[in-house]
């Protein structure tokens, strides 16, 4: 991008996807290419945006996958690892919020990467992100089916896959409003469940549960079996789990193009991310580390949606409270379905933006009169049918490969967002604009984006180190169907 080139002031006749009108009042509109077959519906209200920011992607990655991190790294490694990735996301979402409020266009960070970094970089990142959600959907649907086996293991999982996939299709008929309402309700349930668990965990740790023979626990398990397991190798292994658990936090920026009033709702939603990271991830995992020993053998199976090995469920069982494990298993089922709903939203909007920019098949650009990217939804649902591969004897191997291909994509996406923000600020200054003209400014500025990018690089190095040189049992993606 030529930093001296002025930003487009009017919509171009060629329907340039970058052609977004901007003035000091913060007005904006879509390019013609995005609305020639209809327009994405601005149906997301402020409450939808805030709930997407607070609890949108809380799912099996936190409730189940964190168990493998506890077993391989210990509670100290989990706490530090999730804080590092959480800080990375805090800087990233702040940068994304500044860009999305100024340019609430479809495709969000993919479009920003094309505009402020490079077209080829944007092409790679856009399809990487779309394919990540495409491949995660069948995993999440299968995972939802596996959670039911906690109560009924006599029903073939294919039945539940068909049921959940049908529910997902029905939600798509309601467009972005359906997505927003479903996420609001399910997100609220997740938030209440996590807050309830934190309160429950504090009571257990203080010895306030009569059914728990351990009495006062305090920081006992941080000393025996210890806060750290497997040294630096165990610590480095946490980053993949943390990335999978935090994945989807950036959806709040992607939803800006369909927010009823992005200038007001997006800044509020962006600020909520801090509380989501601090409370629902860091604090809840800290509580788990206090009341559940990291050498619990059941944690070996903590992956996919094996809720019987969820550290949250195990912590409740250790306290001897009857009935509550089933309640939390239901919360995990709801969480997995919520993430599956987010899969459909994230992939379809990204694919539609890729099509508009000429980086994907033209039929993906079609939007019906209800504001739904119809063919993108069809493609996503077709990928959802891959969940039936689980009926094959080697189905888990197929899923492991699919998820391994997309497992590191989040670091790539988050790093690209931070760099896009840095380049945007450089261009903004070169064109003679002041920061006072921005409708919303990232609280940590360019420094925060550089720190976020640096943390992404460190996390990638640690992840490759574990993948290439460390031999640890890291079952994050390996138990997809093995029960």
């Amino acid at each position: 991008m030529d930093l001296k080139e002025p930003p487009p002031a009017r919509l171009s006749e060629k329907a340039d996807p970058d052609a977004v009108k901007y003035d000091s009042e913060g007005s904006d509109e879509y390019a013609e290419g995005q609305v020639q077959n209809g327009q994405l519906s601005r149906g997301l209200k402020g409450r939808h945006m805030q709930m997407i920011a607070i609890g949108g992607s809380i799912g099996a990655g936190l409730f189940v996958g964190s168990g493998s991190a506890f077993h391989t790294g210990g509670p100290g490694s989990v706490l530090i690892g999730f804080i590092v990735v959480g800080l990375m996301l805090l800087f990233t979402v702040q940068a994304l919020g500044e860009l999305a409020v100024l340019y609430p266009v479809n495709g969000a960070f993919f479009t920003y990467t094309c505009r402020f970094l490079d077209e080829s970089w944007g092409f790679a990142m856009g399809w990487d992100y779309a394919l990540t959600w495409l491949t995660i959907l069948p995993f999440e649907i299968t995972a939802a089916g596996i959670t039911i086996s906690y109560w009924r293991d006599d029903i073939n999982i294919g039945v539940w896959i068909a049921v959940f996939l049908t529910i997902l299709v029905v939600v798509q008929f309601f467009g972005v409003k359906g997505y927003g309402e479903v996420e609001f309700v399910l997100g609220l349930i997740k938030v209440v469940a996590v807050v309830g668990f934190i309160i429950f965990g504090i009571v257990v740790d203080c010895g306030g549960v009569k059914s728990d023979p351990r009495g006062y626990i305090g920081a006992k398990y941080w000393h025996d079996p210890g806060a750290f397991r497997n040294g630096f190798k165990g610590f480095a292994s946490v980053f993949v789990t943390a990335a999978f658990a935090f994945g989807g936090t950036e959806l709040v920026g992607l939803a800006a193009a369909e927010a009823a009033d992005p200038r007001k709702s997006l800044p509020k939603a962006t600020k909520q991310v801090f509380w989501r990271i601090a409370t629902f991830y860091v604090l809840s995992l800290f509580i788990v580390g206090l009341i559940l020993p990291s050498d619990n053998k059941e944690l070996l199976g903590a992956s996919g949606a094996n809720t019987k090995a969820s550290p949250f469920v195990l912590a409740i069982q250790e306290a001897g409270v009857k009935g509550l494990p089933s309640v939390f298993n239901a919360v995990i089922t709801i969480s997995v379905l919520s993430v599956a709903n987010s899969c459909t939203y994230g992939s379809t909007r990204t694919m539609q933006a890729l099509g508009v920019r000429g980086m994907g098949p033209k039929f993906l650009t079609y939007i019906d009169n209800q504001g739904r990217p119809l063919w993108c939804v069809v493609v996503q649902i077709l990928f959802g049918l891959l969940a039936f591969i689980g009926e094959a004897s080697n189905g888990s191997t197929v899923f492991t490969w699919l998820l391994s291909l997309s497992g590191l994509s989040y670091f790539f996406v988050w790093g690209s967002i931070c760099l896009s923000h840095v380049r945007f600020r450089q261009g903004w200054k070169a064109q003679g604009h002041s920061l006072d003209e921005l409708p919303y400014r990232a609280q940590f500025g360019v420094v925060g984006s550089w720190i976020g990018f640096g943390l992404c690089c460190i996390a990638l190095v640690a992840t490759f180190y574990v993948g290439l040189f460390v031999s640890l049992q890291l079952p994050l993606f390996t138990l997809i169907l093995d029960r």
Side-chain angles (χ1 to χ4, degrees), residues 60-83:
L62 171 65
F63 291 137
V64 183
S66 59
S68 64
F70 274 110
H71 192 270
T72 56
S77 295
V78 169
L79 187 63
I80 296 173
F82 272 76
I83 288 176

Side-chain angles (χ1 to χ4, degrees), residues 396-442:
S396 60
T397 303
V398 176
F399 274 112
T400 300
W401 275 101
L402 286 175
L403 291 171
S404 296
L405 291 173
S406 59
L408 298 179
S409 65
Y410 292 121
F411 291 131
F412 180 42
V413 171
W414 297 336
S416 299
I417 292 172
C418 291
L419 279 185
S420 296
H421 180 246
V422 171
R423 288 284 290 168
F424 160 75
R425 280 290 188 93
Q426 291 174 346
W428 190 255
K429 181 179 180 180
Q431 293 161 15
H433 293 286
S434 68
L435 297 181
D436 293 332
E437 296 178 67
L438 294 173
Y440 175 73
R441 275 188 284 175

Side-chain angles (χ1 to χ4, degrees), residues 41-388:
S41 173
R42 286 184 174 272
L44 292 177
K45 300 179 181 179
R47 62 185 177 88
H48 298 143
M49 296 293 290
Q50 292 193 40
M51 193 55 66
I52 291 171
I54 295 175
S57 63
I58 296 176
L62 171 65
F63 291 137
V64 183
S66 59
S68 64
F70 274 110
H71 192 270
T72 56
S77 295
V78 169
L79 187 63
I80 296 173
F82 272 76
I83 288 176
V84 170
V85 178
L87 285 174
M88 179 198 311
L89 259 296
L90 185 60
F91 295 136
T92 301
V93 173
Q94 283 290 320
L96 178 59
E98 180 177 309
L99 293 171
V101 170
L102 185 62
Y103 299 117
V105 296
N106 189 27
F109 35 84
F110 148 71
T111 304
Y112 308 145
T113 302
C114 289
R115 182 170 187 175
F116 300 119
L117 293 179
D118 187 79
E119 289 277 341
S120 58
W121 191 326
F123 173 83
M125 192 200 79
W127 277 111
D128 181 42
Y129 189 71
L131 288 171
T132 295
W133 286 120
L134 286 172
T135 54
I136 287 178
L137 177 63
F139 162 74
E140 295 292 343
I141 293 175
T142 304
I146 294 176
T147 61
I148 304 299
S149 67
Y150 186 89
W151 300 289
R152 294 288 301 271
D153 56 4
D154 59 328
I155 301 177
N156 189 287
I157 190 174
V159 174
W160 298 115
I161 290 174
V163 170
F164 293 137
L165 192 58
T166 301
I167 294 174
L168 194 62
V169 171
V170 171
V171 172
Q172 304 314 307
F173 282 108
F174 298 94
V176 70
K177 288 186 178 180
Y179 165 73
E181 292 298 339
V182 169
E183 282 304 300
F184 180 79
V185 174
L186 300 187
L188 187 61
I189 294 174
K190 290 187 286 184
V191 168
V192 172
V194 173
V195 172
F197 176 84
I198 291 173
I199 297 173
F200 170 80
I202 293 174
V203 174
V204 171
D205 191 57
C206 294
V209 178
K210 294 182 179 180
S211 59
D212 191 346
R214 296 173 297 178
Y216 174 77
I217 301 174
K220 172 184 176 182
Y221 295 137
W222 280 62
H223 299 284
D224 181 22
F228 299 92
R229 295 170 60 88
N230 300 308
F232 179 74
K233 299 176 181 179
F235 171 71
S237 69
V238 173
F239 285 104
V240 176
T241 307
F244 191 75
F246 278 111
T249 306
E250 69 290 335
L251 281 174
V252 66
L254 194 66
E258 295 174 89
D261 190 357
R263 304 295 184 192
K264 293 183 180 180
S265 60
L266 195 58
K268 293 180 181 179
T270 300
K271 294 175 183 177
Q272 297 294 331
V273 172
F274 169 78
W275 299 109
R276 168 185 171 178
I277 293 171
T279 303
F280 304 122
Y281 284 89
V282 176
L283 183 56
S284 65
L285 290 175
F286 174 67
I287 295 296
V288 170
L290 289 177
I291 62 178
L292 181 69
S294 59
D295 61 353
N296 188 303
K297 295 181 179 180
E298 295 293 332
L299 290 174
L300 279 172
S303 63
N306 183 22
T307 53
K308 295 178 181 179
S310 164
F312 290 79
V313 173
L314 290 175
I316 296 172
Q317 290 176 341
E318 286 282 333
V321 180
K322 297 181 179 180
L324 196 55
S326 290
V327 173
F328 212 88
N329 183 75
V331 171
I332 296 175
T333 304
I334 290 172
S335 301
V336 172
L337 291 176
S338 172
V339 175
N341 189 40
S342 296
C343 287
T344 304
Y345 183 82
S347 64
T348 54
R349 272 54 180 182
T350 304
M351 285 191 293
Q352 197 273 339
L354 284 161
V356 167
R357 208 174 188 96
M359 295 181 176
K362 190 175 181 179
F363 73 89
L364 294 177
T365 64
Y366 176 73
I367 299 175
D368 67 11
N369 294 331
Q370 301 299 318
R372 298 170 296 196
L374 194 59
W375 289 111
C376 296
V377 173
V378 171
V379 171
Q380 176 67 90
I381 297 302
L382 289 176
F383 265 81
L385 295 176
L386 290 175
F388 288 103

